[in-house]
Amino acid sequence: MYDVERALAYHRNKRPGKIEVIPTKACRTQRDLTLAYSPGVAAPCLAIQKNPADVYEYTAKGNLVACISNGTAVLGLGNIGALAGKPVMEGKGILFKRFADIDVFDLELGTEDPDEIVKAVCLLEPTFGGVNLEDIKAPECFYIEAKCKELMNIPVFHDDQHGTAIITSAALLNAVEIVGKRIENFRVVVNGAGASGISCARLYLALGVRRENIFMLDTKGMIYAGRTEGMNAYKAEFAQDTKLRTLEEALEGADMFLGLSAKGALHPEWIRRMAKDPVIFALANPDPEITPNEALAVREDCIVATGRSDYPNQVNNVLGFPYIFRGALDVRARNINEEMKLAAVRALADLAREEVPDAVSRAYSGRRFHFGREYLIPTPFDPRVILWVAPAVAQAAIDTGVAGIPTLDHDKYVERLEVKLGPERHLMRTLLNQASQAPKRIVFPEGDHPSVLRAVHLIKEEGIAHPILLGDEERIRERARDLFVDLEGATILDRHFTCEGECSTCMTDDPYVDTLFQLRARKGVTRQEACRLLQRDRTYVASVMVLRGEADGMVNGVSTEYRDAIRPAIQVLGIREGTSVICGVYAMLFQDRMVLFADCTVNIDPNAEELAEIASMTTDLAKFLGVNPRVAMLSFSNFGSTPHPAAKKMAEAAELLRLRRPDVAVDGEMMASTAIDTEYMQRFYPFNRLGREANVLIFPNLESANIAYKLLAGFAKAQAIGPLLMGLRKPFNVVRREADSEEILYLSALTVCRAQGLLAPGTYIRPASKP
């Protein structure tokens, strides 16, 4: 069950809703304005008038889909109307953008008249490259889609019909393979005769299931020849000449149950009637007709799929519609035909048989996926889906003559699609899921800060850590109550250190004071001062906890200046063995890529040796985050163009790293503009060792790195994740001051991952002594 207040806050906060329109061209100067609008806009207008196909060259039509609904069949909510259905359509737009980089306008139509809907949709054809119909009740949805497809020359796709049909068809193909049966002999029982159920049955016919082997039921029971009650022409397609009337009867000897009905509709005992190795797709939402545990309890040989992510074999429409539209749009298809849908089915089925990469396992808490009874179809967060489904759909459109382009270079198209994947899309979820695999104890010195308390709620919800909150217990609990944060499962630690007279407490039995004194005794810290540091600054308390093994990691900084947040941790935790520097790395997330910046927070003016070691650690972080690192040592000079000591320092750092980490692709010194421009680099410096743009940027000093990441975060709207601290002996990260709860969540996840031992450094061989 979801948190209603949190869901409302999610949709309301910052700016209402979930979507916005962002310009893709500059419009800051008078010159920009003359190009964007009058008089410059006349040029593309006249070009399109002369050649209508040019609309795809000069406008967003080719990447724009309309999500259209009248709110008469909103999933799980029924006929709530067009206005109430708008959040769902905005959500659909997010999925299109998130998974396939397709822009969406959601359009809610205030009518239940099918012909009015058809007319409205058809009138929108000049605007959009495709139309996704959604949440329109049956049987009207069949008529609306068919009529729009007949009248329009852009793809029209009713996802409620075809999405589930495509995903379950892929799962069906693989299930048939696993149980060793022939699809033409497969006996299928469909419980639910709405848009999805009928479309599933139609697509199963195309796969080879025989019509006489499909038995369909609705709330009135079996759909049989001669039945009149609750019937329509679409149900009549699957009316059987049979004496069977109930689901229990229909399941006798059946090979497959497809449920698109309601929770508990399939009684466990009825499964005993089914054939050997029964296939059960229980897709009622949010609760299935039967859970996998219930089904397996009575039939160990069954294969079960549901619509839920907490069970194996999740049937999720997001595996289909974003990539189907991606392929259709990219070849300017006039419609989405049966061959294109079948191409998507076979691509999904084939992908499930491939070896699953580690990145997918990390996205699912380290679970290993192998083709079989619990892995019939790819997972929704498998980044390869777009690379398999979109090209298959695009090629099918070309092969069947509905595409607007004659040919497709498959390899080049896949390369274009890979650009859309950007590792930033999966970074956050990968970290969270990996952390949840083995939660660790994370201590928060600022335990009474509202953002930390909200983050604790998220941390518990994600299951990534056991939070330890430092501070006054009464104050923490009071603030938590005000924020509606449940602290159950979190530990509150309210430590007090007293220094009175001769500091007897410190002198006798306080292990924290003893530990800190031993660490800092030769750094000018007396026992009494150690006690005062612990009393005055909870970061010292947290650092000692981590050092003593009473916590596995620490996160702070939300209410503290960075230098004050990091100093106690460095003093207590110290530098990792085999390392000579600590550095702060920012992962800068852009729309199409992730780039790591270092060192942004610690070393003011590092020398060449230190820069090489910083680069080495940043490279290891990049690999952990799923980036194949290409390291650029940045300067104001390109490969010796300016003979200055500052430039020579960066060239020396590159050479040191290359000698001591031959596994790292590194070059420099080079200007930032060269490092990020593949074409320029290859044209003027073809001897470079990177081959393409760099994704790990090592700055010559703290000033330049700090300025660069803050400018990009401010002006380019790049998301800055960090600083991610490297080189400390124990896991510790500092969030930016006034960070929100999600930033704290993500840094906590990374801290947990480090505590799990996942960020193993490469071998960087330092010289025996420094000059």
Side-chain angles (χ1 to χ4, degrees):
M1 186 61 181
Y2 64 92
D3 184 325
V4 173
E5 287 303 317
R6 187 178 174 213
L8 292 174
Y10 172 86
H11 285 79
R12 178 182 60 239
N13 288 352
K14 294 185 179 178
R15 74 188 278 167
K18 300 190 286 279
I19 57 175
E20 65 176 324
V21 176
I22 299 175
T24 59
K25 305 292 190 298
C27 191
R28 300 186 183 92
T29 66
Q30 179 63 31
R31 179 177 177 274
D32 293 339
L33 186 60
T34 62
L35 294 172
Y37 200 56
S38 180
V41 75
C45 290
L46 294 172
I48 294 168
Q49 182 187 33
K50 182 178 180 180
N51 179 20
D54 281 350
V55 71
Y56 292 98
E57 299 292 333
Y58 301 122
T59 77
K61 179 182 173 74
N63 197 55
L64 188 60
V65 166
C67 271
I68 299 178
S69 175
N70 66 352
T72 54
V74 178
L75 184 64
L77 300 174
N79 188 349
I80 61 175
L83 193 62
K86 183 173 175 61
V88 181
M89 294 301 100
E90 288 188 359
K92 196 80 171 188
I94 286 179
L95 297 181
F96 267 106
K97 189 67 177 176
R98 161 65 178 78
F99 288 97
D101 193 30
I102 293 173
D103 298 315
V104 166
F105 290 161
D106 64 291
L107 301 169
E108 293 72 37
L109 303 180
T111 179
E112 294 189 18
D113 185 318
D115 289 311
E116 285 189 347
I117 295 174
V118 170
K119 183 177 180 180
V121 173
C122 290
L123 289 173
L124 293 168
E125 183 172 344
T127 302
F128 297 98
V131 172
N132 181 81
L133 300 173
E134 193 81 17
D135 293 350
I136 301 173
K137 67 183 178 71
E140 290 89 337
C141 61
F142 296 108
Y143 168 79
I144 292 168
E145 186 196 46
K147 197 68 177 175
C148 288
K149 291 180 72 170
E150 175 189 333
L151 298 173
M152 300 175 75
N153 283 308
I154 59 174
V156 179
F157 185 85
H158 184 208
D159 187 47
D160 296 324
Q161 290 184 54
H162 309 300
T164 302
I166 288 166
I167 312 309
T168 61
S169 290
L172 172 59
L173 284 180
N174 283 337
V176 170
E177 173 76 16
I178 289 167
V179 299
K181 297 181 181 180
R182 298 176 62 86
I183 197 165
E184 59 267 28
N185 298 327
F186 227 59
R187 190 168 182 270
V188 180
V189 175
V190 181
N191 195 48
S196 186
I198 290 171
S199 293
C200 285
R202 286 174 172 174
L203 202 54
Y204 296 172
L205 292 175
L207 292 177
V209 178
R210 295 204 299 261
R211 187 178 296 273
E212 60 266 27
N213 284 340
I214 297 178
F215 295 82
M216 186 174 291
L217 299 94
D218 61 10
T219 56
K220 307 296 182 183
M222 178 65 65
I223 294 172
Y224 58 88
R227 189 184 120 176
T228 57
E229 184 182 12
M231 291 293 289
N232 58 50
Y234 307 101
K235 293 181 182 180
E237 290 181 40
F238 296 96
Q240 291 280 24
D241 186 5
T242 179
K243 293 182 180 180
L244 301 175
R245 293 295 182 267
T246 68
L247 176 59
E248 183 180 7
E249 294 170 350
L251 288 171
E252 185 72 44
D255 296 290
M256 176 179 175
F257 167 84
L258 171 65
L260 297 154
S261 49
K263 176 183 178 180
L266 179 58
H267 293 284
E269 286 302 311
W270 297 352
I271 300 176
R272 297 186 189 277
R273 295 171 167 264
M274 297 180 71
K276 183 178 181 294
D277 294 313
V279 175
I280 299 169
F281 292 173
L283 306 182
N285 197 312
D287 297 304
E289 287 83 356
I290 190 171
T291 68
N293 293 340
E294 290 170 335
L296 289 164
V298 295
R299 288 292 297 267
E300 293 182 354
D301 62 337
C302 66
I303 296 176
V304 187
T306 71
R308 290 175 48 154
S309 61
D310 51 349
Y311 295 128
N313 296 320
Q314 183 191 14
V315 174
N316 191 324
N317 284 16
V318 81
L319 282 169
F321 69 85
Y323 314 115
I324 292 168
F325 269 98
R326 180 76 276 158
L329 292 173
D330 288 341
V331 295
R332 303 179 188 176
R334 294 186 292 277
N335 61 60
I336 295 173
N337 56 31
E338 288 299 301
E339 290 81 2
M340 294 163 72
K341 289 187 287 184
L342 288 170
V345 169
R346 294 189 176 99
L348 286 170
D350 290 344
L351 177 56
R353 303 180 189 205
E354 295 289 310
E355 192 69 27
V356 180
D358 289 340
V360 176
S361 293
R362 287 200 302 268
Y364 287 85
S365 303
R367 180 186 165 202
R368 307 302 301 184
F369 295 96
H370 300 283
F371 178 62
R373 291 172 176 266
E374 293 192 348
Y375 182 65
L376 298 174
I377 47 177
T379 62
F381 283 98
D382 190 330
R384 302 170 301 166
V385 177
I386 190 173
L387 307 179
W388 285 64
V389 175
V393 170
Q395 191 60 54
I398 291 172
D399 293 343
T400 55
V402 300
I405 64 173
T407 60
L408 182 71
D409 186 318
H410 180 274
D411 292 341
K412 288 185 178 180
Y413 181 46
V414 169
E415 287 180 10
R416 283 166 44 202
L417 292 173
E418 284 178 329
V419 172
K420 299 180 183 298
L421 283 177
E424 72 283 358
R425 296 175 179 263
H426 299 281
L427 172 61
M428 299 310 176
R429 180 47 50 190
T430 298
L431 288 177
L432 291 171
N433 286 331
Q434 177 58 57
S436 68
Q437 183 180 359
K440 300 295 182 181
R441 300 164 299 170
I442 302 300
V443 59
F444 297 89
E446 303 149 306
D448 53 3
H449 193 282
S451 292
V452 171
L453 290 169
R454 292 191 188 96
V456 166
H457 172 80
L458 300 178
I459 287 166
K460 289 168 51 189
E461 190 174 72
E462 294 285 351
I464 67 167
H466 305 295
I468 302 172
L469 304 175
L470 300 188
D472 181 86
E473 182 170 1
E474 184 178 347
R475 185 181 186 188
I476 289 173
R477 293 196 181 279
E478 182 180 357
R479 285 194 170 180
R481 284 193 295 270
D482 292 342
L483 296 168
F484 301 99
V485 172
D486 181 5
L487 292 179
E488 183 178 356
T491 299
I492 300 175
L493 186 61
D494 188 3
R495 284 297 309 265
H496 293 281
F497 302 87
T498 58
C499 291
E500 298 177 359
E502 296 301 318
C503 197
S504 58
T505 302
C506 300
M507 295 294 290
T508 56
D509 60 359
D510 195 299
Y512 280 45
V513 175
D514 188 57
T515 298
L516 184 57
F517 175 63
Q518 290 179 18
L519 286 170
R520 306 297 296 169
R522 293 186 177 273
K523 303 293 183 181
V525 176
T526 65
R527 255 188 133 76
Q528 188 175 25
E529 179 62 20
C531 184
R532 288 174 177 169
L533 288 172
L534 290 163
Q535 180 67 17
R536 187 169 61 238
D537 190 342
R538 293 196 297 262
T539 306
Y540 279 103
V541 180
S543 300
V544 173
M545 286 183 69
V546 174
L547 184 67
R548 289 170 53 85
E550 296 170 14
D552 301 303
M554 175 173 65
V555 174
N556 80 328
V558 69
S559 63
T560 312
E561 288 290 346
Y562 183 80
R563 63 180 181 274
D564 297 325
I566 194 174
R567 185 185 298 115
I570 293 175
Q571 291 177 354
V572 175
L573 300 179
I575 297 176
R576 188 181 64 212
E577 185 178 353
T579 302
S580 63
V581 292
I582 296 168
C583 68
V585 182
Y586 270 93
M588 303 298 294
L589 308 186
F590 300 91
Q591 186 174 7
D592 60 347
R593 73 187 70 179
M594 175 167 64
V595 182
L596 273 62
F597 285 26
D599 166 29
C600 301
T601 60
V602 180
N603 300 282
I604 294 176
D605 188 18
N607 60 35
E609 179 68 43
E610 290 168 336
L611 285 166
E613 191 163 357
I614 288 168
S616 178
M617 290 190 288
T618 307
T619 295
D620 296 327
L621 176 62
K623 291 178 179 178
F624 171 72
L625 296 177
V627 174
N628 183 24
R630 297 180 297 277
V631 183
M633 295 291 184
L634 298 183
S635 177
F636 53 82
S637 170
N638 274 322
F639 304 104
S641 63
T642 304
H644 187 277
K648 291 179 180 178
K649 177 179 77 168
M650 302 309 290
E652 182 185 349
E655 186 62 24
L656 287 171
L657 183 61
R658 189 160 46 250
L659 290 173
R660 292 165 190 166
R661 287 289 300 273
D663 60 307
V664 176
V666 57
D667 213 341
E669 87 283 11
M670 68 177 74
M671 294 182 183
S673 56
T674 302
I676 63 173
D677 189 333
T678 300
E679 183 178 349
Y680 183 87
M681 189 191 304
Q682 296 295 82
R683 180 181 176 187
F684 291 101
Y685 308 102
F687 53 81
N688 76 84
R689 295 184 174 94
L690 300 184
R692 52 182 295 194
E693 77 281 353
N695 50 28
V696 174
L697 303 182
I698 306 300
F699 291 81
N701 52 47
L702 181 63
E703 185 176 39
S704 59
N706 196 271
I707 290 171
Y709 97 79
K710 288 183 177 179
L711 283 174
L712 285 170
F715 288 120
K717 302 302 180 185
Q719 186 176 1
I721 304 298
L724 314 177
L725 288 173
M726 305 293 294
L728 279 167
R729 192 162 34 166
K730 298 284 186 177
F732 166 56
N733 276 298
V734 179
V735 298
R736 67 177 180 86
R737 194 165 187 177
E738 298 304 323
D740 61 26
S741 58
E742 289 197 345
E743 291 178 69
I744 298 170
L745 170 69
Y746 297 143
L747 265 294
S748 300
L750 183 69
T751 307
V752 171
C753 290
R754 292 188 60 189
Q756 292 170 348
L758 295 176
L759 189 49
T763 302
Y764 178 82
I765 304 173
R766 301 197 318 277
S769 62
K770 292 186 179 181

